[in-house]
Amino acid sequence: MLAKVRQILNRTFIGSYVANRVDQVRTVNTKNGIEKQAIFLAISLTADFCLGTVIFSCVQQSGYSPQLLPQAIVNSTESTVENLKLIISWLMQNPAGLKLNSVLSRALGKFFLYHIHLWVTYVYLLIPALIDLLQTLSPVFHFLPLSLQLSILGDMLSVLCVHVFCFYAYARRITYSQINGCIALARLFAGKKYNPLRKRVDSADASLEHLFVGTMVFTILLFLLPTSLTFFLVFYSLRLSAMLGLEIIRRSIWLIQWLPCQS
Amino acid sequence: MENGRKNQWRKVLYENGGFPDNYTPPESFLAAIERNKNLRLYTKRECFQGAAIVGREVSLVITFWSLYVYLSESLINSEQLLVALLLVVTSGYLYHLRNYTYSVLLSGLKTTLFFLTVGFALSPVLFKLTDTISTDTIHTMSVIGLVVHTFTQNYGIHGPLVSKSISLNSAIFSTVCLASRFPTHIMAFSLLCLAVFCFLLVPMWSEVYVPNPLKSLLSALISVCLLARVLPNYAVLAAVFLILVQVICPLLFFHLQSYKQTIHGPWDEASLD
């Protein structure tokens, strides 16, 4: 039960930070060289707090205060949404001179745009609650350790990027099933089929109806493949860049948390 | 060597003749050569018959392509084409009715109806499929498909390249490529019906009524005339090719048969006959 909670907590930055700290304290309590471990843990925590305060005051002096944070969230959400809409409408016309199937690209583009519209509605319902929460927390920000500040930043980023991951999942599903269908029907084209019992490809005695319908569906899937592949590649690259940003934050948190203890 | 006599070697292994088991007398090996054993010489009639099957298939492909060009240049209506196909198929069925039972024809009718339904359902998808791809690419792809169809078609001789599924599938593939060049989906559907007729029904007909050289020459003439109306240059090429396939190649084959030279002997692999 606790492992399940742990699993859910590890998905978020804040939860994993808290869980890691609890783990560290627990290992200090149960290990033998208690003094060494306790000293290192204390060093890590104090370094964290000091760094947090110092960097936060630097940031505050250069003009970014916690009161601006809700507005910053709203602005970045809107700009992300606008950019995604631009990319999708660019894909719906002839992107980079690629010959995409017009009907399918328009259908996929409209589907993704509607999904964005739903998500934006949801976010606009959620933002007032979020803003209230941040307003209550803002005096505390100054005194939080640096890794906790970074984890809050990371969590906000992942909330912003969640629909990029969603789009990647949809496009991947569609493209993958198309590719599988193409491969299976290409085998039928050559008069063979896959034998799952023996895990090999056997010759197939297909009736005329099978051959006819199989060829037509194979041609349709084959010609629709470049379109879905383009959508998939675009969303895959977006997801990669989002993951890169999140990974940087994760590594820096790891650095601050674990480096004093490991030495 | 016993009794002062030289033992004659005989080709039996169950008697010990004093020779080792793998002994052969030096002269007997090459003397056992046989030339042109089991030689099958084809008569002129057979050569022309075989060529007629190939020529009929090639003229069928040429007819299909010329009808596609007619449709795309609006020289004929899609309704006219559909009515003509219906008439031909009905007359073919009635002709078959004399020889075959009712149930066979009924199953054939069911198959045809199934194909028509599927084709009609899929033709709105098909005619928009390759909208954005240029015509040259489409024509190249369908020509390649038809060439593959011609190569893998069953002409009565079994070979490694012959595959019924690949030939039918590549013909349907070319049809689907070409169907996207039309502005309405009823024209795509009529082309699909034409493809079903040409590549499904006509081979089934020709399995029963084997073409003879005169009939295939007639169909070659018809296809070349159809092509000459729209693409005269290619019609000349097609006529030359068809004459080559149906007249010159069999004569050449018949003439070159006299140069056949095969050698058989005891060095061949043993085969269980």
Side-chain angles (χ1 to χ4, degrees):
Chain A
M1 158 75 185
L2 209 60
K4 284 263 170 68
V5 172
R6 195 56 200 279
Q7 254 184 341
I8 296 175
L9 276 183
N10 269 342
R11 295 278 183 150
T12 65
F13 282 97
I14 298 181
S16 63
Y17 169 75
V18 168
N20 281 338
R21 282 293 186 206
V22 164
D23 265 348
Q24 274 180 333
V25 171
R26 227 190 267 163
T27 45
V28 164
N29 282 343
T30 54
K31 273 228 166 113
N32 290 334
I34 197 169
E35 290 180 356
K36 220 182 184 184
Q37 298 284 332
I39 288 175
F40 281 139
L41 184 60
I43 290 177
S44 157
L45 277 172
T46 40
D48 230 346
F49 276 102
C50 294
L51 275 174
T53 324
V54 160
I55 289 188
F56 195 77
S57 35
C58 289
V59 160
Q60 213 170 13
Q61 271 174 359
S62 45
Y64 299 103
S65 70
Q67 279 79 26
L68 293 179
L69 202 56
Q71 197 54 40
I73 297 177
V74 171
N75 284 346
S76 46
T77 317
E78 272 180 20
S79 70
T80 324
V81 163
E82 279 310 310
N83 284 333
L84 261 181
K85 276 192 185 162
L86 269 174
I87 288 179
I88 291 177
S89 23
W90 175 69
L91 280 175
M92 275 163 71
Q93 292 129 29
N94 262 352
L98 286 172
K99 304 274 178 75
L100 301 183
N101 186 24
S102 50
V103 180
L104 184 66
S105 61
R106 250 185 278 146
L108 280 179
K110 282 199 186 140
F111 166 67
F112 286 127
L113 282 175
Y114 186 63
H115 187 262
I116 290 184
H117 169 76
L118 285 176
W119 186 81
V120 159
T121 317
Y122 161 75
V123 162
Y124 280 161
L125 285 175
L126 199 62
I127 279 204
L130 213 63
I131 288 178
D132 277 340
L133 191 70
L134 284 174
Q135 298 282 30
T136 49
L137 280 181
S138 58
V140 186
F141 260 24
H142 195 97
F143 304 107
L144 287 177
L146 182 63
S147 29
L148 198 58
Q149 291 173 352
L150 279 177
S151 13
I152 293 178
L153 191 68
D155 265 339
M156 279 186 331
L157 261 180
S158 45
V159 163
L160 279 180
C161 295
V162 75
H163 53 299
V164 171
F165 295 143
C166 257
F167 288 171
Y168 164 72
Y170 296 154
R172 180 175 172 272
R173 227 13 109 131
I174 293 176
T175 313
Y176 212 59
S177 46
Q178 257 194 322
I179 290 180
N180 277 342
C182 265
I183 292 178
L185 287 173
R187 276 193 221 117
L188 184 66
F189 196 97
K192 301 198 183 295
K193 70 173 187 286
Y194 178 65
N195 189 354
L197 186 64
R198 297 285 186 135
K199 299 203 183 357
R200 66 176 182 208
V201 178
D202 284 337
S203 60
D205 196 13
S207 70
L208 279 177
E209 289 98 349
H210 292 160
L211 285 178
F212 185 67
V213 176
T215 311
M216 305 237 316
V217 177
F218 168 69
T219 321
I220 291 176
L221 284 181
L222 188 71
F223 282 118
L224 292 180
L225 198 63
T227 312
S228 21
L229 209 63
T230 317
F231 273 85
F232 170 72
L233 283 174
V234 165
F235 290 131
Y236 187 59
S237 49
L238 280 177
R239 174 182 173 259
L240 274 185
S241 41
M243 295 274 280
L244 189 72
L246 290 178
E247 198 60 32
I248 291 177
I249 293 181
R250 203 190 304 265
R251 286 288 160 186
S252 38
I253 292 177
W254 178 87
L255 206 71
I256 299 172
Q257 253 193 341
W258 289 100
L259 211 54
C261 293
Q262 305 277 26
S263 53
Chain B
M1 290 203 228
E2 295 169 358
N3 301 337
R5 256 183 322 160
K6 191 170 168 185
N7 261 343
Q8 190 71 319
W9 174 82
R10 285 193 304 153
K11 200 176 175 183
V12 284
L13 280 178
Y14 46 81
E15 279 181 14
N16 185 10
F19 296 100
D21 277 340
N22 55 355
Y23 175 79
T24 41
E27 324 78 35
S28 77
F29 194 61
L30 280 177
I33 196 174
E34 290 172 36
R35 296 179 192 275
N36 286 345
K37 177 175 157 188
N38 297 337
L39 186 65
R40 164 94 196 270
L41 282 176
Y42 294 94
T43 62
K44 251 193 189 160
R45 192 193 176 81
E46 280 172 340
C47 295
F48 278 110
Q49 188 92 7
I53 306 180
V54 179
R56 213 280 309 282
E57 189 65 35
V58 174
S59 43
L60 191 71
V61 167
I62 293 176
T63 315
F64 175 73
W65 187 268
S66 43
L67 280 173
Y68 155 71
V69 177
Y70 278 24
L71 257 183
S72 72
E73 294 194 4
S74 309
L75 285 171
I76 56 175
N77 253 345
S78 43
E79 287 90 7
Q80 285 171 343
L81 184 64
L82 283 172
V83 165
L85 280 176
L86 191 69
L87 282 175
V88 171
V89 170
T90 322
S91 57
Y93 265 134
L94 290 175
Y95 189 70
H96 257 302
L97 205 61
R98 315 172 301 152
N99 293 339
Y100 287 95
T101 61
Y102 191 56
S103 59
V104 167
L105 286 178
L106 198 66
S107 73
L109 201 69
K110 261 198 288 189
T111 317
T112 315
L113 217 66
F114 172 76
F115 288 146
L116 287 179
T117 319
V118 168
F120 194 68
L122 284 179
S123 50
V125 177
L126 289 176
F127 95 101
K128 275 280 185 189
L129 199 62
T130 44
D131 233 3
T132 49
I133 301 185
S134 69
T135 310
D136 285 338
T137 320
I138 295 283
H139 280 183
T140 315
M141 279 198 296
S142 49
V143 162
I144 288 177
L146 285 174
V147 163
V148 168
H149 160 80
T150 327
F151 278 2
T152 51
Q153 178 77 325
N154 184 17
Y155 296 118
I157 298 184
H158 292 289
L161 209 58
V162 171
S163 165
K164 177 179 150 201
S165 3
I166 293 187
S167 73
L168 180 66
N169 284 341
S170 42
I172 303 283
F173 174 75
S174 330
T175 314
V176 170
C177 284
L178 289 175
S180 61
R181 295 291 104 194
F182 292 127
T184 62
H185 76 269
I186 196 80
M187 292 166 88
F189 174 61
S190 54
L191 189 76
L192 214 59
C193 288
L194 180 71
V196 165
F197 173 73
C198 281
F199 301 119
L200 271 170
L201 294 181
V202 171
M204 289 207 292
W205 172 279
S206 76
E207 273 170 25
V208 179
Y209 302 102
V210 182
N212 63 25
L214 284 171
K215 279 193 215 164
S216 71
L217 276 173
L218 184 69
S219 55
L221 192 68
I222 292 176
S223 64
V224 166
C225 288
L226 275 178
L227 192 63
R229 175 96 192 277
V230 275
L231 297 165
N233 307 332
Y234 293 106
V236 171
L237 273 176
V240 166
F241 180 68
L242 279 167
I243 291 177
L244 189 78
V245 163
Q246 284 187 262
V247 176
I248 298 185
C249 278
L251 281 176
L252 209 63
F253 181 73
F254 181 72
H255 175 68
L256 287 175
Q257 273 183 129
S258 55
Y259 291 110
K260 268 191 194 178
Q261 243 187 355
T262 52
I263 301 178
H264 304 267
W267 49 84
D268 281 341
E269 280 177 17
S271 61
L272 305 163
D273 273 333

